[in-house]
């Protein structure tokens, strides 16, 4: 059980807040609140673990939690108004962060009025929710999930020449996108980034307070299974069943869009399907936009790029392309276990859980040679890397993986799993590091 530094209240604090003496008194438990618009998010393992250790754990969220976490009491905050019409476009995004920060602060104030004052606030500041929490709970220490800091050269904004930033306005807008993140960096006592490369995007002034610890992969659950069967029902009602005997190619995005290489993969598919006449392609994801811009006409990127390549695909090829929507995690694991080639393309941006999970399941990942992917995959040792824009190299790698005898890549698959087990295992590596950091921050030690 982690120790808690709890300061006994004394009356007379300013503005209705409690005042605290200088000398802390050590107690046995902590009060912890997790703040995330779509809780649990990255806290899906950490929050219930702390609750099991006997700490009082709460969560502040915008959306109702998708799953009930044992021992974690949830509180929703509300955004009571929309953005101001005709506000300066560079300020519009910051206004949305203020609105969320205001809603979160009012919910936190209500919690305080009811007697809940946390010892530690664990917050994802990316949506502005953490903006005012220091004002509500000044005595609480703050540990932030530092997922990303926007930049220009070497970042996602300028990576793809097909979608260049438009004019000087784009560059200036990037600076304003960091406004609420700078507030968070100044306010937090410490931060945690899931990868060393994501940590490197943080300004040097704050970087020493940010620790690189991944969210963790449950490698005991996500593991190879030669007998796995992937089954699902496609959105049109058609059933799909695939096994390790089928030459499966998998591609997973939260939403299909250029930032995650959807356009490159789809433009490569006609050649892949011509050269691999039995290949079955399973695409998992939604039709919205998670990162980057929408299409000019408002259609989904999925349909826009599919319509572009459709003239190169005959009916038999189209029948081997399966858009299955979003899948429950247990079903997704079966796909990891049966795939011959898992294609993971991305701009220089945050690392997706899907890549590490696929590796943990023993999949052969063919990834883009971009900064944070190279942090995990070494070409020819635990996966294959191709240039993001080199469609010929991608086609060659995928066809080779699908058409060659499966045992040819057994060593890469095995080493891929070993990489995740040794560096990203939830129970033995990441969660213990997270818990140790929580204790240090709560005690004021780091």
């Amino acid at each position: 059980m982690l120790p808690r530094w709890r300061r006994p209240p004394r009356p007379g604090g300013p503005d209705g807040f409690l005042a605290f003496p200088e000398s802390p008194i050590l107690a046995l438990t902590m009060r912890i609140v997790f703040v995330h618009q779509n809780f649990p998010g990255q806290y899906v393992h950490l929050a219930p673990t702390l609750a099991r250790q006997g700490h009082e754990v709460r969560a502040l969220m915008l959306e109702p939690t998708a799953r009930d976490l044992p021992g974690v009491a949830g509180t929703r905050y509300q955004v009571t108004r929309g953005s101001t019409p005709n506000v300066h476009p560079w300020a519009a995004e910051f206004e949305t962060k203020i609105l969320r920060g205001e809603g979160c602060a009012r919910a936190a104030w209500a919690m305080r009025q009811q007697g809940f004052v946390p010892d530690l606030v664990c917050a994802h500041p990316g949506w502005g929710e953490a903006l005012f929490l220091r004002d509500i709970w000044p005595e609480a220490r703050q540990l932030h999930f530092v997922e990303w800091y926007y930049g220009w050269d070497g970042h996602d904004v300028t990576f793809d020449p097909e979608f260049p930033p438009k004019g000087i306005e784009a560059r200036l807008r990037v600076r304003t996108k960091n406004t609420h993140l700078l507030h968070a960096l100044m306010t937090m006592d410490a931060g945690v980034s899931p990868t060393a490369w994501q940590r490197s995007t943080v300004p040097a002034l704050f970087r020493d307070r940010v620790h690189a610890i991944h969210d963790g992969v449950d490698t005991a659950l996500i593991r190879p299974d030669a007998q796995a069967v992937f089954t699902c029902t496609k959105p049109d009602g058609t059933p799909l069943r695939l096994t390790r005997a089928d030459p499966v190619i998998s591609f997973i995005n939260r939403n299909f869009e250029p930032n995650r290489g959807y356009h490159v993969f789809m433009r490569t598919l006609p050649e892949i399907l011509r050269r691999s006449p039995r290949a079955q392609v399973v695409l998992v994801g939604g039709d919205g936009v998670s990162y980057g811009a929408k299409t000019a006409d408002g259609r989904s990127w999925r349909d826009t790029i599919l319509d572009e390549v459709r003239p190169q695909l005959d009916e038999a090829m189209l029948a081997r392309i399966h858009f299955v929507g979003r899948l429950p995690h247990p079903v997704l694991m079966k796909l990891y276990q049966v795939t011959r080639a898992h294609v993971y393309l991305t701009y220089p941006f945050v690392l997706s859980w899907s890549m590490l999970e696929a590796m943990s399941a023993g999949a052969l990942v063919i990834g883009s040679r971009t900064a944070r992917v190279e942090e995990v995959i070494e070409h020819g040792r635990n996966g294959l890397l191709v240039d993001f824009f080199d469609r010929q190299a991608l086609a060659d790698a995928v066809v080779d993986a699908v058409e060659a005898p499966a045992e040819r890549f057994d060593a890469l698959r095995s080493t891929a799993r070993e990489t995740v087990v040794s560096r990203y295992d939830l129970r033995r590596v990441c969660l213990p590091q997270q818990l140790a950091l929580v204790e240090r921050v709560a005690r004021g030690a780091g």
Side-chain angles (χ1 to χ4, degrees):
M1 191 172 291
L2 300 180
R4 182 179 98 196
W5 294 101
R6 176 162 299 165
R7 301 177 178 184
R10 66 185 182 195
D15 302 322
F17 292 109
L18 298 175
F20 294 84
E22 292 298 323
S23 300
I25 296 177
L26 186 63
L28 293 177
T29 60
M30 289 189 292
R31 287 189 294 253
I32 306 169
V33 61
F34 288 90
V35 183
H36 193 298
Q37 69 142 4
N38 191 28
F39 183 83
Q42 290 84 0
Y43 301 125
V44 65
H45 301 296
L46 180 60
T49 298
L50 288 165
R52 284 195 299 271
Q53 291 183 337
H55 306 292
E56 183 181 352
V57 180
R58 300 198 185 187
L60 259 174
M61 69 196 84
L62 177 61
E63 301 296 336
T65 180
R67 68 181 85 174
D68 292 327
L69 296 184
V72 181
T75 298
R76 293 186 65 185
Y77 73 85
Q78 294 183 333
V79 178
T80 57
R81 50 158 288 185
S83 300
T84 306
N86 301 317
V87 71
H88 194 293
W90 302 350
E93 184 166 350
F94 184 51
E95 186 186 25
T96 66
K97 304 302 189 289
I98 290 177
L99 292 172
R100 293 199 180 194
E102 176 191 19
C104 194
R106 292 189 184 281
W109 175 249
M111 292 169 69
R112 184 178 187 107
Q113 295 295 93
Q114 295 165 9
F116 180 79
V117 178
D119 301 287
L120 180 66
V121 175
C122 295
H124 191 316
W127 298 276
E129 293 162 307
L131 271 171
F132 309 113
L133 294 182
R134 181 67 77 185
D135 303 292
I136 304 300
W137 291 311
E139 60 274 65
R141 297 186 66 80
Q142 293 194 11
L143 173 60
H144 286 191
F145 189 86
V146 184
E147 188 170 24
W148 187 245
Y149 190 86
Y150 292 94
W152 193 251
D153 296 324
H155 285 63
D156 57 322
V157 180
T158 57
F159 180 73
D160 193 338
E162 183 175 347
F163 307 102
K166 298 177 181 178
I168 188 62
E169 292 81 4
R171 183 160 193 153
L172 303 183
R173 189 167 190 163
V174 166
R175 184 169 297 279
T176 64
K177 287 171 73 71
N178 282 323
T179 304
H180 69 291
L181 298 177
L182 277 170
H183 277 274
L185 291 170
M186 293 174 64
T187 301
M188 71 182 190
D189 295 289
V192 58
S193 285
T195 68
W197 186 76
Q198 286 167 248
R199 176 183 178 272
S200 75
T201 67
V202 175
L205 179 64
F206 306 102
R207 204 173 298 150
D208 286 347
R209 284 189 283 148
V210 180
H211 306 258
I213 305 173
H214 194 266
D215 317 334
V217 177
D218 191 343
T219 63
L221 177 67
I222 307 173
R223 57 187 304 118
D225 179 3
Q227 306 305 315
V229 178
F230 169 72
T231 59
C232 74
T233 302
K234 297 195 289 186
D236 64 1
T238 305
L240 180 64
R241 183 182 187 277
L242 299 167
T243 71
R244 291 280 293 271
D246 298 301
V248 177
I249 302 165
S250 55
F251 184 83
I252 299 172
N253 285 179
R254 180 183 301 173
N255 286 300
F256 299 120
E257 54 189 322
N259 287 56
R260 295 305 197 192
Y262 171 71
H263 58 317
V264 174
F265 180 66
M266 289 300 295
R267 290 166 180 168
T268 310
L269 267 189
E271 180 175 353
I272 292 173
L273 293 173
R274 278 195 299 269
R275 293 169 58 185
S276 298
R278 294 180 54 247
Q280 301 288 331
V281 183
V282 180
L283 297 99
V284 181
D287 292 340
V289 174
S290 299
Y291 319 106
K294 298 179 180 180
T295 60
D297 60 5
R299 299 174 69 221
S300 70
W301 282 109
R302 189 195 77 160
D303 290 343
T304 298
I305 303 299
L306 178 59
D307 287 349
E308 176 191 322
V309 302
R310 195 184 298 272
Q312 305 171 54
L313 300 166
D314 60 30
E315 289 302 316
M317 291 178 179
L318 284 168
R320 293 187 283 133
I321 300 174
H322 310 284
F323 287 93
V324 298
R326 294 176 177 169
L327 298 176
H329 196 253
V331 179
L332 192 61
M333 283 194 298
K334 298 298 182 183
L335 179 59
Y336 297 145
Q337 291 165 338
V338 304
T339 187
R340 294 272 188 95
H342 178 70
V343 178
Y344 180 70
L345 308 175
T346 180
Y347 289 3
F349 199 58
V350 300
L351 185 66
S352 302
W353 289 335
S354 62
M355 190 190 88
L356 291 176
E357 289 185 342
M359 293 173 68
S360 181
L364 173 64
V365 175
I366 301 173
S368 55
R369 192 175 280 109
T370 41
R372 58 183 181 71
V373 179
E374 292 179 294
E375 186 176 329
V376 180
I377 295 180
E378 180 182 340
H379 179 71
R381 191 183 77 85
N382 58 358
L384 300 174
L385 295 176
V386 297
D387 184 274
F388 181 92
F389 303 104
D390 192 339
R391 287 156 46 189
Q392 188 61 56
L394 176 61
D396 291 344
V398 172
V399 171
D400 199 22
V402 170
E403 295 297 318
E407 57 269 19
R408 176 179 168 186
F409 295 101
D410 281 352
L412 270 67
R413 295 172 183 272
S414 177
T415 308
R417 175 166 170 80
E418 290 171 6
T419 298
V420 179
V421 169
S422 63
R423 293 169 54 185
Y424 303 102
D425 180 77
L426 173 67
R427 307 296 174 188
R428 295 188 302 105
V429 180
C430 298
L431 191 56
Q433 292 178 359
Q434 294 168 18
L435 291 169
L437 180 60
V438 164
E439 179 180 0
R440 291 200 304 273
V441 175
R443 293 176 56 242

